[in-house]
Amino acid sequence: MYEFNYHRPTSLEDVSEILAANDEAKILAGGMTLLPTMKMRLAQPSDLVDLSAIDGLSDISDTGDAIEIGAMVRHADVAGSDIVQNAIPALAELANSIGDAQVRNRGTLGGSIANSDPASDYPAAVLGLDAVIKTNKREIAADDYFKGLFETALEANELVVSVKFPKPKKAAYAKFPNPASRYAVVGVMVAETDSGLRVAVTGAGACAYRATEIEAALGKSFSTDALAGISMDAADLNDDLHASSEYRAHLIGVMAGRAVSTLGG
Amino acid sequence: MEIKGEYQIDASREAVWDALNDPEMLKKCIPGCESLEQISATELKAKVMAAIGPVRARFDTRLSLENLNPPQSYTLVGESKAGMAGFGRGSAAVRLEESNGGTLLTYNADFKVGGKLAQVGSRLVMGATKKTADDFFGTFSRELDPGAMRMDIDEATGGAMNSMTWKAIGAAVALLLIWWFLLR
């Protein structure tokens, strides 16, 4: 084990101070990606800033037209929340499909979207449901948030405080999980929101993105038949030992179809 | 996923070739490059800080230039070791063609990892390589020509509009203004 300083501040201001004073500091939320990376010596931060003692980051609340979920809320708590199950059942189901029980009990919403792993599930929900990401500095619309491979609009020393998910008229998430890790080989969130029909894809590209071709097709006719003629371009899709880019391109249509048929289309 | 790209650079082929063989230039363009020293005419040693997502590791990298065919093409071969974390080996075949009074740079890159890196990272290798190659050749092209354009993808559909699109929009707006003045 190599040495690092461990901090457990009790306020966001203290977090900012510690981060500003230490270039090589890392924020620790659930640690489901950071800790294995450190064990592998692929990251050796000088300081870890544990967010678990900060009040107000672990709440789920119904604000009327939206559900607000704190950054430190664990996947298992989203999956088991009555509030989420009633208002956005697709989000509870998505949370329940992440990883295994250990990951769901430790991993957090904020950690997941700050890391923006290309195969993580939450980004599909954030983008598909047109959520707003609240940070310690500002609010970021989902459409402006995911920038690329592990890249988000978050600035250095900016951290996610909560995510506000507007209640959709209807929404469903379908994913093709890797059988071992349960990471999404491809996951698709289809949602009818106040801002229109949204289809968000995760697992397939460098980061979550909206499949505008599918949105257009479903806008004309909300049915699995509408998806029949659509073929997705495989050129920029992920290609690895789990699936080729062509296979992923095919899965996008299949997963979108499953989500649509769940919604009765 | 094929990792390739094309840039149109407003500079002569010889100038682009010289830049591709200039250690200072390479240092500026390799993402996270902390130091670079030349060991021989075709070999270089570099320290590269790779920061992709949760990974933040310093790699000792050996770069060599192979298949030299000045001023048309070469292959940039890199081998990295990151201590216990593992190693990586990659290459980028670069071709330069004279086109439209400038130079068309084409690259084809490939990367493989071994050791622990492969256990955890193999699903991310392609994406990370693509990002690194895009960053390197993008920076390189813009160093030579701030208006260098990516040719193989339509950047307009990707959200960011390229300068050609802006020129087209500018021209359309100008035409509309002239028309409006004429009709008044």
Side-chain angles (χ1 to χ4, degrees):
Chain A
M1 196 72 185
Y2 65 91
E3 287 182 11
F4 58 85
N5 301 313
Y6 174 79
H7 306 265
R8 197 159 177 258
T10 51
S11 77
L12 288 170
E13 290 74 28
D14 292 349
V15 176
S16 300
E17 251 171 56
I18 299 167
L19 290 176
N22 301 283
D23 266 5
E24 305 255 313
K26 273 269 185 188
I27 299 169
L28 176 67
M32 293 295 91
T33 299
L34 181 58
L35 296 187
T37 311
M38 286 173 64
K39 285 182 181 171
M40 219 74 74
R41 298 294 187 266
L42 289 172
Q44 306 196 345
S46 63
D47 297 72
L48 278 192
V49 190
D50 187 343
L51 301 183
S52 61
I54 299 171
D55 278 343
L57 294 185
S58 303
D59 304 327
I60 300 176
S61 56
D62 190 331
T63 62
D65 53 358
I67 301 291
E68 190 166 346
I69 303 178
M72 286 295 285
V73 175
R74 318 274 170 184
H75 308 327
D77 294 332
V78 173
S81 155
D82 289 340
I83 297 176
V84 180
Q85 283 174 358
N86 286 333
I88 320 177
L91 183 59
E93 277 170 37
L94 176 146
N96 200 39
S97 77
I98 299 172
D100 50 28
Q102 289 94 323
V103 168
R104 290 195 293 277
N105 281 324
R106 289 293 311 165
T108 65
L109 169 63
S112 170
I113 66 165
N115 189 41
S116 184
D117 189 294
S120 52
D121 295 288
Y122 268 131
V126 169
L127 200 53
L129 297 170
D130 197 12
V132 173
I133 295 107
K134 282 192 180 173
T135 76
N136 56 339
K137 296 179 178 169
R138 60 192 165 137
E139 297 195 349
I140 308 171
D143 282 328
D144 302 325
Y145 180 79
F146 298 102
K147 296 288 186 192
L149 186 71
F150 292 113
E151 237 183 271
T152 66
L154 291 175
E155 293 163 5
N157 303 350
E158 184 173 20
L159 62 129
V160 178
V161 172
S162 67
V163 181
K164 222 167 143 177
F165 294 95
K167 294 178 187 172
K169 294 183 185 114
K170 54 183 178 180
Y173 179 64
K175 85 160 163 175
F176 192 83
N178 175 283
S181 69
R182 305 284 161 189
Y183 265 125
V185 175
V186 167
V188 179
M189 172 69 90
V190 176
E192 207 185 314
T193 68
D194 286 339
S195 58
L197 185 78
R198 297 169 71 95
V199 176
V201 179
T202 190
C207 63
Y209 64 95
R210 287 172 66 185
T212 45
E213 306 94 316
I214 296 181
E215 287 178 358
L218 291 177
K220 281 182 205 135
S221 142
F222 193 82
S223 66
T224 47
D225 291 343
L227 300 172
I230 295 182
S231 73
M232 307 300 289
D233 185 8
D236 275 329
L237 299 187
N238 299 338
D239 190 310
D240 56 33
L241 76 171
H242 304 305
S244 68
S245 49
E246 290 79 13
Y247 186 53
R248 280 196 165 86
H250 175 70
L251 279 179
I252 295 171
V254 176
M255 290 303 120
R258 283 189 192 169
V260 169
S261 75
T262 307
L263 296 173
Chain B
M1 187 197 283
E2 264 198 301
I3 301 162
K4 57 178 185 181
E6 275 179 26
Y7 283 92
Q8 175 69 34
I9 305 168
D10 188 16
S12 73
R13 187 159 73 167
E14 281 69 23
V16 178
W17 175 262
D18 287 344
L20 272 178
N21 287 277
D22 174 6
E24 272 308 304
M25 187 71 176
L26 293 178
K27 186 182 167 191
K28 245 190 261 179
C29 304
I30 296 170
C33 186
E34 293 176 337
S35 73
L36 188 102
E37 58 177 299
Q38 191 142 16
I39 330 176
S40 76
T42 58
E43 283 174 301
L44 302 142
K45 222 166 70 179
K47 273 202 193 311
V48 179
M49 172 65 96
I52 295 179
V55 173
R56 205 175 147 80
R58 197 168 269 116
F59 289 84
D60 282 320
T61 303
R62 273 184 108 82
L63 289 169
S64 57
L65 313 178
E66 296 178 3
N67 307 325
L68 286 160
N69 180 20
Q72 287 168 24
S73 59
Y74 79 7
T75 308
L76 186 63
V77 181
E79 258 193 73
S80 288
K81 292 196 179 74
M84 282 172 58
F87 58 91
R89 195 174 292 132
S91 65
V94 187
R95 234 185 41 229
L96 305 177
E97 283 165 77
E98 283 172 341
S99 113
N100 296 327
T103 307
L104 183 69
L105 179 152
T106 318
Y107 66 87
N108 251 297
D110 187 33
F111 200 78
K112 290 188 170 53
V113 290
K116 279 186 187 169
L117 263 179
Q119 284 175 17
V120 287
S122 57
R123 71 186 173 87
L124 302 168
V125 170
M126 287 291 266
T129 308
K130 182 172 156 35
K131 185 174 147 63
T132 309
D134 286 353
D135 284 356
F136 173 79
F137 288 104
T139 312
F140 177 82
S141 305
R142 279 185 294 273
E143 277 285 330
L144 285 170
D145 166 18
M149 271 196 298
R150 183 86 191 244
M151 303 303 284
D152 57 324
I153 48 170
D154 185 0
E155 292 181 82
T157 56
M161 282 193 264
N162 62 28
S163 59
M164 198 66 130
T165 314
W166 283 116
K167 278 178 199 158
I169 292 173
V173 171
L175 273 175
L176 279 173
L177 279 174
I178 293 167
W179 199 17
W180 185 67
F181 275 113
L182 288 175
L183 288 178
R184 252 149 56 101

